[in-house]
Amino acid sequence: MRALFNRRTPGLGVRRVARPGAACLGAAAALLAGCGQKDSAKGAPGMPPGGMPVQVQVVKNETIADTTEYLSVLKSRHSANINPQVEGQITRIFVKSGDRVKAGQPLLEIDPLKQKATVSSQEAARAAQEANAQLAKVSFERAQRLSEAGVISKADFDAAQSNYQAAVAQLKSLDEQVNTQKVELHYYSVSAPMDGIVGDIPVRMGDRVAVTTLLTTVDEPGALEAYIYVPVERSRSLKVGLPARLLNTAGDLLANTKITFVSPQVDPDTQTVLAKAAIANSQAKLRISQQVRVQVTWGQREGATIPFLNVTRINGQFFAFVTENSGKGTVARQKLIRIGDNVGNNVEVLEGIKLGDHLIVSGTQFLQDGAPVAEQVVTSLNNQDASKESSTATH
């Protein structure tokens, strides 16, 4: 169809000229669209006829450790809290925190003057009683000779003998009292109970302390124990010999050990059962009262796993690409999955992907659901490919 319009030519008047109309333009656009669809069907320039080549791995079973992680506190198997056994005022402190001490080495001194005076008084009383006992002995020996000669009566002899025995008994009593006071005086000098390292010293010279006052601690370097508090619901599976792994806050392995003790009682306040795991700590890398993560392994199971780097997280949900035969060829399918525990660099898949599925492990950043692909089966994903994939994964 043509559209007619008037055009004036000098000297010739008005003539009618035809030009293309809307119908012709529409036909041309339809023709171009058809050509575009034809080119699109052939694929993008450089794209193989079968689709974009991707590497795939066959999803297989893997042994998965059934583990639970707990927060644990390390305690020394040879650690002592130093408390005074007497009350008094601190007059001297012989060590400082961090010093290495030997067994019996003095740590602090509590004012002993009053106790020394008590010991002196007891020793004086003992000396007086010793003199009395000596006099009673002389009187008894004299009475014994006079009794044998028939000079004194039996009653006088018995009285002399009784006085001597009472004096000896009183002397022994005073001996024990003196010894007791000397032992008490020994407590005014606080000594290290074993070889070790002095901990914090919260008291100062001049402080008055009681038997409940913590003076310091002495810890013997070396073996430690991890105190693990397991909820009572899981305590039925708790037993001596279960493997345990100590981890730091970054998840790095600190030590491999085993459960060495399980308490027969439940803590009534926390409803937990105490378990202990011995740690050699030969290089002294771990410290007393340090908090660590402990993974207790209850057993093993079989499950499907995929590389964690091939898992994409979108809006709190996890997805992975697998290949699928659509009837017209192989296409990529984005699957919604539910993941479980981490297994090294892999993650357990609980739902969404099953054994035998072909997991796409390369080029996932360029894929869309339903895109045609060409499989290249690989046995494992190398580190270089994994690093490339991790840079494009959304977490």
Side-chain angles (χ1 to χ4, degrees), residues 54-134:
V54 292
Q55 294 180 337
V56 297
Q57 279 183 290
V58 179
V59 178
K60 298 180 180 179
N61 255 341
E62 185 174 350
T63 301
I64 302 171
D66 181 13
T67 62
T68 306
E69 187 172 294
Y70 302 99
L71 187 63
S72 172
V73 178
L74 302 183
K75 297 185 180 181
S76 175
R77 299 169 63 183
H78 303 282
S79 179
N81 292 333
I82 309 301
N83 295 82
Q85 293 181 273
V86 294
E87 295 185 4
Q89 189 177 40
I90 295 177
T91 55
R92 300 177 68 183
I93 299 178
F94 302 106
V95 296
K96 62 182 182 297
S97 299
D99 285 352
R100 291 182 175 270
V101 295
K102 298 291 184 180
Q105 180 176 337
L107 303 177
L108 303 95
E109 182 184 68
I110 299 173
D111 187 3
L113 293 179
K114 184 177 180 180
Q115 185 62 26
K116 284 182 178 180
T118 302
V119 172
S120 298
S121 176
Q122 292 289 342
E123 287 180 337
R126 179 191 177 282
Q129 183 60 32
E130 187 175 9
N132 293 334
Q134 186 64 29

Side-chain angles (χ1 to χ4, degrees), residues 283-303:
Q283 299 181 357
K285 292 183 177 180
L286 301 174
R287 295 181 178 272
I288 298 170
S289 298
Q290 178 180 347
Q291 287 189 343
V292 296
R293 296 155 53 191
V294 177
Q295 285 185 349
V296 178
T297 301
W298 308 100
Q300 294 180 337
R301 66 180 186 276
E302 298 293 323

Side-chain angles (χ1 to χ4, degrees), residues 189-254:
S189 178
V190 182
S191 303
M194 59 187 179
D195 296 354
I197 301 174
V198 178
D200 181 39
I201 305 177
V203 295
R204 300 291 182 267
M205 289 180 57
D207 290 352
R208 184 170 183 83
V209 297
V211 293
T212 58
T213 305
L214 177 64
L215 301 179
T216 186
T217 59
V218 176
D219 302 310
E220 182 180 359
L224 300 174
E225 283 185 330
Y227 279 55
I228 311 165
Y229 298 93
V230 180
V232 67
E233 294 81 7
R234 200 65 196 262
S235 62
R236 292 185 178 180
S237 304
L238 190 61
K239 60 183 179 181
V240 173
L242 286 178
R245 302 171 69 242
L246 267 69
L247 309 174
N248 60 14
T249 54
D252 301 324
L253 179 65
L254 296 176

